[in-house]
Amino acid sequence: MIAALVAIGAPVLAAFTAIGRLTRFAITALTRMLQPPWYPAQLAQQMLVIGWLSLPVVGLTAIFTGSALAQQIFIGGSRFNAASTVPAVTVIGVVRELGPVLGGLMVAGRVASAMAAELGTMRVTEQIDALVTLRTDPFRWLVGPRILAAVLVMPFLVLVSNALGVMGGWLLATQRLGFNSAQYLATTQRYLEVDDVMSSLVKAGVFGFFIALMGCYHGYHSGGGAAGVGRATTNAVVSSFILILLSNLIITVIVFGS
Amino acid sequence: MTPRIELSGVSKRFGSRQVLDGLSVSVMPGESLVIIGGSGTGKSVSLKCILGLIPIDAGSIKVDGQEVAGLKGAALDAHRTRFGMLFQGGALFDSLPVWRNISFALPGRAADRRAAAIDNLARVGLGAEVADLRPAELSGGMQKRVALARAIAVRPPIIFFDEPTTGLDPITAAVINKLIRTLVTDLKITALAITHDMASVRLIADRVAMLHAGKIIWHGPLASLDGCENPYVRQFIHGSTEGPIQMPGVRQ
């Protein structure tokens, strides 16, 4: 009986400990970000790395997914004479869900892993200790700029993702499915609402926060040499994926559930 | 005279492993103390405890007579301004060029900081031509020199050297050891080095202490090291497999 309780209790305690450590890390990062000194050059560099360098992967994902979505809606809609809903459903599907979620997942795969690997390497090669001995707070120099940059640039990436996703659908619909271009765009415009875009941008900011937080958290607490850095990288990607999908569900239910 | 650094009964445990077990040692102003000891005996941990990078479980750490164990926030930052540190692997920031690594903690305009970095490069025998290189473009010996230049850049009164010659060939190691000795003498720095390289000990040390099982088991001036009767010290300095120091998992 006791052995069974221990078997259940140990992982539960470990999970609560991990959540507590992560929460403390996030609070420390956020409070230090508000206090000087600030490092604008670090912030600009991270905005470039996270935003500009993620554009190709986010853009390609959006175009391919938007096109595939339009094709699927056309096939599915044809079964009950609703093939004309392609522009409306594509724009709602892309802007509310696929644009932010797939954009977030692609950025997480690229950025969270890179952050975890970089900070993890800095941890195991004592560069983070060196920062401290040089009177520089790693939270202000390393963590803060990454989190802020991710929160700031993710909405722009998702805007691009949304636009390219809709464009992918339009391209396929007009080139392969026989839709009239002007009519398609007019329908798209008619069914796209401000709330759709706003929820998309809110999701993007939240996803950006989780991506950078998980990348920095796992990298910062990395240990055990190269294998430890590898584990940190994997954990950063997996945990940011889970948090993106979970927070997407929560925001979707809050914004569109009523 | 008040010791510059004084550790009394310092203990530190990681999980079930007692790394420091009542460590007591002191370093006088201007002195160069080298702590020797095998791998995993807590040498690096003791330096990190003094710097406040690792909290201690028990004991006292005083710097210039002031208790520093348990310092936090601004007081801890102020405490750290007294130290420079040469890390075992250099710990240079990969993303920054050499001159920005060296001038990292220096205030002022970029041009002044760059000039100061080049001055410090000259002190460690490197020319201005390496200033714009990245650490990855330097050899191991050059990286150590740059790390040394960074450690002395703010002219700290105390410098820690963590295994300063690890991974270097004997000639480069001798160059680094001589450089450390020269800098310590010229800049009148109090130095605390940890190493298991006996060539380093003989070139850097005024005084030597041996750390074993988390405590100092012998200390004395460099001149008394070779005549020391302590069996642990004798085994260590002769690199013998016969003696009281048992390597975990190794059959004698």
Side-chain angles (χ1 to χ4, degrees), chain A residues 161-249:
Chain A
S161 174
N162 290 344
L164 291 177
V166 171
M167 195 188 85
W170 166 78
L171 264 177
L172 189 116
T174 53
Q175 300 302 312
R176 245 182 78 86
L177 306 178
F179 278 78
N180 174 278
S181 174
Q183 221 169 13
Y184 188 101
L185 292 175
T187 311
T188 298
Q189 209 173 359
R190 193 162 61 244
Y191 281 93
L192 179 64
E193 294 178 359
V194 174
D195 280 358
D196 298 336
V197 179
M198 292 310 292
S199 76
S200 182
L201 297 183
V202 169
K203 283 180 179 181
V206 172
F207 296 167
F209 174 75
F210 285 133
I211 289 167
L213 179 69
M214 299 320 290
C216 291
Y217 173 77
H218 287 289
Y220 193 85
H221 291 109
S222 174
V229 176
R231 269 194 306 277
T233 307
T234 306
N235 291 340
V237 174
V238 172
S239 57
S240 55
F241 274 27
I242 291 168
L243 284 172
I244 285 171
L245 296 173
L246 176 65
S247 59
N248 177 62
L249 173 64

Side-chain angles (χ1 to χ4, degrees), chain B residues 168-248:
Chain B
L168 300 179
D169 66 80
I171 297 168
T172 309
V175 171
I176 294 291
N177 286 329
K178 281 184 181 166
L179 196 53
I180 289 172
R181 183 75 250 183
T182 306
L183 288 172
V184 166
T185 307
D186 289 356
L187 302 176
K188 298 181 175 56
I189 291 168
T190 302
L192 175 55
I194 57 172
T195 185
H196 40 62
D197 174 6
M198 291 312 297
S200 278
V201 176
R202 293 178 202 289
L203 276 166
I204 298 173
D206 296 325
R207 205 158 57 86
V208 183
M210 175 145 179
L211 184 63
H212 179 71
K215 57 181 71 157
I216 298 294
I217 55 166
W218 178 87
H219 65 94
L222 176 65
S224 65
L225 182 65
D226 289 324
C228 171
E229 293 297 323
N230 185 303
Y232 290 90
V233 178
R234 290 188 66 78
Q235 184 188 356
F236 187 84
I237 64 175
H238 292 112
S240 169
T241 55
E242 306 288 323
I245 302 174
Q246 303 292 314
M247 299 304 290

Side-chain angles (χ1 to χ4, degrees), chain B residues 17 39-41 212 245-252:
Chain B
R17 194 163 153 256
S39 301
T41 52
H212 179 71
I245 302 174
Q246 303 292 314
M247 299 304 290
V250 177
R251 283 193 289 186
Q252 302 290 304

Side-chain angles (χ1 to χ4, degrees), chain B residues 82-220:
Chain B
R82 290 180 279 198
F83 297 91
M85 175 136 180
L86 176 63
F87 285 88
Q88 190 170 342
L92 296 172
F93 305 127
D94 303 320
S95 57
L96 301 180
V98 162
W99 77 267
R100 288 199 60 199
N101 263 281
I102 295 170
S103 65
F104 194 86
L106 295 176
R109 295 182 309 127
D112 297 336
R113 292 170 53 220
R114 185 184 162 86
I118 290 171
D119 278 350
N120 282 296
L121 276 175
R123 275 200 174 271
V124 296
L126 291 173
E129 65 276 8
V130 302
D132 292 313
L133 299 179
R134 302 270 162 175
E137 296 174 272
L138 306 175
S139 68
M142 289 166 88
Q143 286 184 19
K144 274 278 162 70
R145 285 178 190 239
V146 172
L148 192 50
R150 185 176 69 180
I152 61 168
V154 293
R155 299 291 182 268
I158 307 165
I159 294 195
F160 290 164
F161 301 98
D162 185 358
E163 307 279 9
T165 56
T166 295
L168 300 179
D169 66 80
I171 297 168
T172 309
V175 171
I176 294 291
N177 286 329
K178 281 184 181 166
L179 196 53
I180 289 172
R181 183 75 250 183
T182 306
L183 288 172
V184 166
T185 307
D186 289 356
L187 302 176
K188 298 181 175 56
I189 291 168
T190 302
L192 175 55
I194 57 172
T195 185
H196 40 62
D197 174 6
M198 291 312 297
S200 278
V201 176
R202 293 178 202 289
L203 276 166
I204 298 173
D206 296 325
R207 205 158 57 86
V208 183
M210 175 145 179
L211 184 63
H212 179 71
K215 57 181 71 157
I216 298 294
I217 55 166
W218 178 87
H219 65 94

Side-chain angles (χ1 to χ4, degrees), chain A residues 125-127 129-136 141, chain B residues 48 53 80 83 87 91-94 104 150 154:
Chain A
T125 57
E126 297 185 304
Q127 290 179 53
D129 286 342
L131 267 182
V132 176
T133 62
L134 295 165
R135 275 80 69 189
T136 303
W141 204 70
Chain B
K48 290 181 179 179
L53 293 171
R80 286 182 180 139
F83 297 91
F87 285 88
L92 296 172
F93 305 127
D94 303 320
F104 194 86
R150 185 176 69 180
V154 293

